[in-house]
Amino acid sequence: MNLSSNDDLLMVRAAELYYNDGYNQSQVADRLMLSRWQVGRLLEKARETGLVEIRIHHPASRRRDLESALRNKFGDVHPIVVDTQATQAATLNLAARVAANHVAELRPAPSLIGLSWGRSVSAIANALPNNVFHKPVIVQLNGSALSVELTVDAASIIATVAKRSVQPTTLLLPAPAIAGSQGLVDHFFADPHVQKTIELGEKADLAIYSLGALTPNSVLAQSGSISTHEQITLKQRGCVGDILGHYIDNKGAIVDLTLEARTISINLESLRDCDRALAIAIGSEKSEVTFGALHAGLCRTLITESAIAKRVLEMGNE
C-alpha cells in the first residue's frame, strides 16, 4: 500500500476511528467530512486489502501502546506516535502527514492559529489539505532566525498555511528569535505591531511548534542566533534544547536568564494554558527536550516517533 496516496492515508484514518476509537460510521463521516457511503467503502476496502484484521497494519498506523504509556507517565497529554522509519526524512514525512490530519480534524476548527518555523513545522504546513481553515488569523509565535532556507522560514510557512485556508489574515513577527541585547528586545517590544502579534500568539487556540535539540545542526545554531560558546555554556548548565527559543533543562525550567531576556517569543506559560498546544519532535537527538516539555506540561499534543517515545519512557527511571 503506497503511503503517498491520500486515499490510503484516509483509509487508515477511517479504520482507526472505526475500529480503534469506537466511532460509528456516521461519526467517522462527520469527523472526516465524508458521506457515510464513502466511509463504508473505505472500511470495506480496508478489509478487502488486508489492512484490517485484528489490528491495523500500515506504516501510518499509530503506536497506541506507546501513546498509552506516555499518557500514564505524564498525565494530561495527547501523544500521537508513529513508527520510526528507515530514514529521518521518511519519519518526518509520515509524522507531518499524521499531524496535518489531526489538525484538519479539530472541532471546533481553530480560528486563531500560532505557528513557529523550522523543518518540522514546514513539513506539517505542506501536508495540510486545501481549505483546511476558514477565515483564520495566522500569527508567528516567535522571532525569526537570522538566516535559514526559504522552505523553513516563518514567512514561507505562514504563506503556505494561508494558501490552504479560506480568507486568512496573517501577522508576521518582524524581529529576531534572539536579539543581541536586552536593549534591542525593549526596542522591538515598543513596536505596536510586535506587541499585537505576541499578544495574539499567546491567545492562540492552536499553536504549532517544534522542539529543538541543543546541537550544532539546530536551525538557531546554524543561523547564528546563538554562538558556539553559548551552546557550550548552555550544555554545561544542563540545557537539553529549546521551545520557541526558550532554552530549558530536562524539567522544563529556563536555563539561562540572560539569554532568556534576549528571546523574542510568546511566553512558555501561554503554552501551558493552550488546550491545543501541538509540539512535534522527530530525530533521536530530541528525546531529552521532549521529556522536558512533557514533564513541564509545555505541550498538550505531542507528535513524535517510536524511538523518541521509548527513550522518553525510560527517562526518570534510570
Side-chain angles (χ1 to χ4, degrees), residues 182-193:
Q182 174 66 58
L184 283 174
V185 172
D186 295 339
H187 171 77
F188 281 113
F189 272 93
D191 184 283
H193 180 82

Side-chain angles (χ1 to χ4, degrees), residues 97-114:
R97 286 174 175 271
V98 173
N101 186 73
H102 169 80
V103 168
E105 291 178 18
L106 290 174
R107 297 292 181 273
S111 58
L112 178 54
I113 301 162

Side-chain angles (χ1 to χ4, degrees), residues 111-115 133-140 158-159 161-163 165-172 193 196-197 200:
S111 58
L112 178 54
I113 301 162
L115 296 172
F133 304 123
H134 185 71
K135 294 184 178 181
V137 176
I138 308 170
V139 302
Q140 185 176 336
I158 288 176
V161 177
K163 288 177 182 177
S165 302
V166 178
Q167 299 181 36
T169 300
T170 62
L171 288 90
L172 295 176
H193 180 82
K196 178 182 178 181
T197 304
L200 284 174

